[in-house]
């Protein structure tokens, strides 16, 4: 994910493990217990703030 460091994107860590950061970029790995419905509902809440 580009521009991760210094931004309010931490919600992604509920669904993916942070593997590494490279300057302001971040690499994630989807969690085994990934719940698509929960992820969609959570991200919809965050996206609605940006609209």
């Amino acid at each position: 994910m580009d521009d991760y460091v210094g931004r309010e994107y931490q919600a992604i860590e509920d669904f993916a493990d942070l593997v590494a950061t490279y300057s302001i970029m971040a690499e994630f790995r989807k969690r085994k217990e990934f719940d698509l419905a929960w992820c969609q509902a959570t991200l919809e809440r965050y996206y609605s703030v940006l609209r």
Side-chain angles (χ1 to χ4, degrees), residues 1 4 9 12-13 16-20 26-30:
M1 172 180 279
Y4 181 76
Y9 295 149
I12 195 170
E13 292 183 31
D17 294 317
L18 180 60
V19 175
E27 177 183 353
F28 292 92
R29 184 168 296 120
K30 183 174 73 172

Side-chain angles (χ1 to χ4, degrees), residues 14-40:
D14 290 340
F15 313 103
D17 294 317
L18 180 60
V19 175
T21 57
Y22 311 94
S23 185
I24 60 172
M25 295 180 70
E27 177 183 353
F28 292 92
R29 184 168 296 120
K30 183 174 73 172
R31 291 186 177 177
K32 284 179 154 180
E33 66 277 2
F34 180 79
D35 182 331
L36 180 59
W38 183 47
C39 179
Q40 289 172 328

Side-chain angles (χ1 to χ4, degrees), residues 1-16 24 26 28 43 46-47 50:
M1 172 180 279
D2 195 17
D3 292 335
Y4 181 76
V5 176
R7 301 278 181 119
E8 297 295 322
Y9 295 149
Q10 287 72 28
I12 195 170
E13 292 183 31
D14 290 340
F15 313 103
I24 60 172
F28 292 92
L43 293 180
Y46 280 92
Y47 286 139
L50 298 174

